[in-house]
Amino acid sequence: MKYAEKITDRQVGRNAELFARAIARKETPEARYPYLRILISVIEQAHPEWNQAPKKDKQIAHLIVQMSKDTLDFDEVAEVVRVRDEERGFFYD
């Protein structure tokens, strides 16, 4: 299958990019939340070096917004990353 545009992040993959666009079509933040958590997990596996980054929430949110072609809200995605990290015991300032 051919695609007109280049892939955003080769480590994450085109399927994750297509998934980000599909998530953006969900109506409410509550509907997007579980799917964003899955996508964030995929990105964390593809980029383990980001786990110790001080601005990890912003890095991952920026990538997901790029992957969704600016159809997802940056702040919403960053908040989901922060919630996941807080569940693991990592807190942001």
Side-chain angles (χ1 to χ4, degrees), residues 50-63:
W50 289 3
N51 285 334
Q52 301 303 318
K55 303 282 187 200
K56 173 184 164 187
D57 57 334
K58 291 177 178 36
Q59 275 184 297
I60 291 178
H62 178 72
L63 177 60

Side-chain angles (χ1 to χ4, degrees), residues 24 29 32 36 61-62 64-65 68 70-80:
R32 289 186 291 271
L36 284 172
H62 178 72
I64 290 176
V65 169
S68 72
D70 295 321
T71 54
L72 286 170
D73 179 55
F74 178 87
D75 293 326
E76 177 186 344
V77 177
E79 180 63 27
V80 175

